[in-house]
Every structure is written in structure tokens, then in C-alpha cells.
Amino acid sequence: MTEPLPGNSSPRHPAVRTEDVWKIFEQEPEDVPAVRGVTLTIEPGEFVAMAGPSGSGKTTLLNLIGGLTRPTRGKVWVAGRDVTAMSNRELARLRLEHVGFVFQAYNLLPVLTALENAEFPLLLRGMDDAERAKRVGPLFERTGLEGLEDRRPGKLSGGQQQRVAVIRAVAGSPALVLADEPTANLDSVASEQLLEMMEELNHGLGTTFVFATHDPRVMEMSHRLIRLVDGAVASDEPREPHPPR
Amino acid sequence: MTARINLMIRLALRNLLRQVRRSILTALALIIGGALLMFSVSLGDGTHEDWIESAVRMGSGHIALQAPGFYQSRKIDDRLSEQARRAAEEALRSLEVARHVVNAVPRLTTDGLASSPNGARPAQIMGVDPVAEVGYSILDDKLAEGRYLESDDRLAAYVGTGLAEALQLRVGARLVVTAQDSDGEIAGQLVRVVGIFKSGVPEIDQAVIHIPLTTAGSWLGVGDDITTLAVLLDSSYRMSEVTSVLRRLLAGPIGDGELALLGWREAMPELDAAVKVDNLGNYMFQGVTFGIIALAIVNTILMAVLHRRREFGLLQAMGLSPRETGALVLIEGVILTALSGLVGIGLGIFVTWLFWRNGLDISFTWDADWSFSGVVLDPIIVPMFRLSRIAQGLVFILFIGAIASLYPAYRAARIDVAEAMKFDR
């Protein structure tokens, strides 16, 4: 393992804290509660899986934590900051500096190369070439993507695209990486490579990872498994992680 | 901030290149619109300049320097004082003014009567300097019979065909011009027709008579005095600039009520109105054309925005603010518009240049002289290039592009990120 990069996780604050968070979607004929009164705390450096069947509220809870959607009621803090009280501009800044996202698919901007995609948040922060190279270069090397830097997403496999997305998510040393079904579109080999990579980054960089998943491999690797049923926490247990098979 | 803007411009350029066909189709509308805009504006300006040139050369110039009451009274009592004339001539010789002055001619003009054994008609009798007038007026070019006045002519007259027909005058015929002289008495002067002109403007052909300035001065008892110093500029667009300089230089005589500056707009209000109405028509046509183009741009960019919802969602998830996401769309629209506008205006300039060499001949659409407000319409329209029009065209196209991109930009900014990032979408 190469030298870890400094993380943004603050030991003084939980990486994530939610307090009685609700998200109700207004629909006809009746409103649909996607998240119902979720209260939880995720400490810095945790590797957490939120599992549950489709419609259980995993993605919505992830979006609430990342400030992509606002709760109907309740509070969310990320790295000690009250996400629910932030303006859109402040939320954008929070995501840029403290939160990395990995989505299920279509993670990369098609007009940028793999390297430019990975560097995107750093470019947005105005980081100079040398600093960006120092941060992203080793990650390409560490994740086996060396030599593919100049390829556009269309010329990368699904697994390679997801790895670029993970590099992008962690390159800025965020407090938190939110991954929504990152392995759902990958074959088993690519999934395992991706999970190994994320676990390594979790160990190496101390980055907090929170997954929304129903992939058993992700659950097996997690240190803590939160099960959601109908938008509420059904169970929340620490577990002994198993390395991917 | 600069890094962000650079990044957004890079993204915008690549996005435009990603959908080359769509970008080209959108650009084509703007290119054709820009070319049409440039061509029609140049043609309109050329037409108007031709109207104005024709009218001022047959009338009292782009700027007429007169005694304050002359425009209304048309009497030689309201003639320029010696002092005011000297000041005016000196001002015209000043460097600021002289570089834009093509010619300045003295005139002694009065309304009177022209009579022959066959009748009498009201006339506008103009005492002119024959040599200076040749370089100024276009009436000498409109010769139908005989010749124009010459420097050693004394009792000579150059009359229009309308007047010649009414009084049954031929070259060599005698004619008496009658008007009020400086003493208020009715004075007559016998002159002989040396030439007959046909300007094509009935009002001029039926009324204007040119006689030598010296003859007019002694006939009316005013010596070397004149009523008007008619100034011809290199372009009508210089008028406001030259007028303001003249007003400054001639502040004394103007303030003393000895001199007035009359621009062609005040001297020929009908022509001014015609130019304004024609411009308004052109602007309305261009407005409608670009309105349609703008709708096409809105449609194309909006389609692109809706197609790229996930991409905008991703950008916001990575930390781009909604405003910046909208700005990205706006930048794309403005870049596309600016490039298309440049190409369109370049194309318009090229097409205009093709017609600029020989003019656009529309004589097939008419079979007689057309005239209005003292202007003979020329069936060959020569477009006019003006740098300010190119700049205005570019700004206008950019404005249209920016306005047309606003709504798509707003939609991109207001995107629901969570919704956009749903996988099943």
C-alpha cells in the first residue's frame, strides 16, 4: 500500500449525524414517505453499508446526507455542519469540499478524459497542476488505471469507469464518500476489484464510506450494516468485515 | 474563480463539439441570420446614404450655415452678415472640421417669379458660384440640353425641364426673374437660358433656377452677401460630430443671433422621416427574423439540456452550484452564438462586398424615375460598410444568443439532482 493521503474527517465531529429525518414525496393520490424518522450517527473512518430492498429509502437517505435533496423534517449534519440549514450555494461547496459521490452508472462526464474527470473537483477548487498530479497520480497507479488517463469514458470498461469515479470521489480528501449501488452494473470481478480499492482507500486515507446497496459482497465487506425497511432503520449492527472472495 | 471559469469554458467547448451536427444546425440559423442582418443593414445604410447624398447635393448640404430667420422667411433680408460669414468660413477651415468637409459653397437664394412671353411661374432662384457648384451639386450632371453655368457667365440661367416646359423655354431663350431686393422693392433681371436640367424630382425641375452669384448679388442689391453656406460632408454619419464641433467654434455668432446651423434632418424633415420609417421597417424585419432564430436556439439548447439532465445532476453532485450549472449552459449558448455571429457577419460582409463593387441593380422593378422629398431614387443600390454596424450586429447576435440561452440555463440550474441521478432515468 502506498502512503495515505490526508483526510478531511474531523475526529471531533461524527462524519454523519441524522436526527429524526423524514422525506415525504408529495404524490397523488397520497404522499409517499421514503424516509421515516431516521436517526443515526456515522463516525469518521467507518465503512458502512445501508441495505434494504428496492424502495426501502437507501438512495433517498444517501441523497439527504449528501444534500442532494432536502428533508421534509429532521436534521442532517455532515462533518459537524448542519446540511439542512444550508443554501444551495453552501450545499454545493459542502459537496465540493467534504463529500464525494459514486453513483450506480453514468458517473463520468463524457467530454472529459479519465484524468480530467478524476481531477474535476480539484479543478473546481482551483488546485494547481502540481498539487492535482500529486493527489490523483498515485491513485491511478494504486487502482491499476495507469496509462488510461487520457481515455474518454466511452473507451473505458464499466469497472474502469467506476474506479475513476471513486478516484474522483476521494481525490479531494473528503470527509465522506457516498456510494449508491456502485457495483450494481459491474460483473463480479470488476465489483470485487472496486470494493477492494474502496476498502483500501478507507484504510489508507481514513475516508468514511457509506454505501446504499443490496449487493451481498458490499455488505460482507462493511464494518457496519444498517438495514432499512420502508424508510425506517430496521437494524443497525457492527459486523466483522470479510474480505471479498 | 478564474480556474472555474476556464474549466466551464473548456467544458462548454467540448460539449459543443460533442454534438457537432446539432451545434452546426443551430449555428447555421445564426450564420444565415447574421449574414442577412449584415447584408440588409449595409444595403439599407447604402440606400439611405444615397437618398441623403442626392437630397443634400440638390439642396442645401448636410449642414447649412444661415442667418437664423432664413429657413422660415426665404428672404434676402435674412442673409449672413459679413462677420458671421467670415467666422463660418474660418470654422470650416479648422482641422477638426475640414477633414470631413468635401465642399462648402456660397449661395444667395430667394423665392421669386420666373416669366417669359409665355407665362410666369413661382421659382426658387439660386445665385451660385458656377465653379464651386460643379464640385458640389449634382444638377450640373443632370443636363438635358445646353450646358451648365460657367465662371465668366453673367446673364445666364440654368433651369429645370418642368419650368422650361411651362414657360416654353429653350436654350438661348430669354427669361425674367423677379424678386424683392434688399430695399424691399420688386426687382427684375433678364437672363438667358444656357442649359436645361432634368433632376427627376418634379419640385426641383419646376422651380429651381441657377444664376451666377455675382449676377444675383447685383440684381438684388446685396453685393457679395450670401444667404447660405452649404456644406457637404464625406458622410452623413459625420453630421452630428461636425455639427457639435461647429457649434463650439461658432458659439459667438450663434449666441449673438447672427448664425444658425441647419442639419439636413431639419432642412428636409420628410426625408428624415422616410429614413427613420425605413430603418424602423428594417429593424422590425430583423427583429422578427431573429425572434424566430431565437426560438430555434431555445428549442435546440433546451433539448440538449433535457438530454443532459444526468450530466448536470452529476456536476451539481460534484460541487457545481445551480447558478454555475446555469452559467455553463449560458456559456455554451454564448460561445455558439459568438462564433456563429462572427461567421455570419463575415459571410454578410463578403456578400455585401460582392454587391458593393457594382451595386445591386433593381432597375428591372421600375420603368420610370422615382422620387420623393427632393430625392431621386437610384435603381442601383450600393451597400455601405460601417464598422459600427458590424459591432452592433455582433452585439445584437450575442444578445439574442444570451437571451435565447437564458431559459435553458434556468432549467439546467433548477434541475432536481436526486431525480436526475436516478438510475432508471
Side-chain angles (χ1 to χ4, degrees), chain B residues 182-231:
Chain B
S182 59
D183 296 328
E185 301 292 331
I186 300 299
Q189 175 69 54
L190 180 72
V191 287
R192 193 177 291 274
V193 176
V194 295
I196 298 171
F197 64 85
K198 184 174 189 238
S199 71
V201 182
E203 299 89 332
I204 292 175
D205 291 342
Q206 288 164 11
V208 170
I209 301 174
H210 279 195
I211 62 173
L213 186 61
T214 47
T215 306
S218 62
W219 160 45
L220 297 169
V222 297
D224 292 335
D225 283 358
I226 58 169
T227 52
T228 306
L229 205 51
V231 182

Side-chain angles (χ1 to χ4, degrees), chain B residues 91-157:
Chain B
L92 290 173
R93 279 195 296 271
S94 75
L95 200 62
E96 284 174 280
V97 177
R99 61 198 172 116
H100 298 307
V101 173
V102 173
N103 217 330
V105 294
R107 282 178 177 171
L108 180 64
T109 306
T110 185
D111 288 344
L113 203 65
S115 50
S116 76
N118 299 304
R121 284 284 184 279
Q124 188 186 58
I125 305 142
M126 254 184 227
V128 298
D129 174 346
V131 176
E133 200 68 21
V134 167
Y136 174 93
S137 174
I138 51 171
L139 280 186
D140 61 303
D141 295 331
K142 305 285 182 183
L143 193 69
E145 202 181 332
R147 63 169 174 81
Y148 187 62
L149 302 179
E150 290 174 353
S151 57
D152 53 355
D153 279 338
R154 275 204 64 243
L155 303 176

Side-chain angles (χ1 to χ4, degrees), chain A residues 1 139 142-143 166-167 170 195-207 209:
Chain A
M1 181 175 289
L139 290 170
R142 187 185 283 188
T143 54
V166 173
I167 293 175
V170 301
L195 288 171
E196 275 177 23
M197 170 192 169
M198 289 198 274
E199 196 189 35
E200 193 181 308
L201 292 169
N202 169 250
H203 280 304
L205 307 180
T207 308
F209 278 82

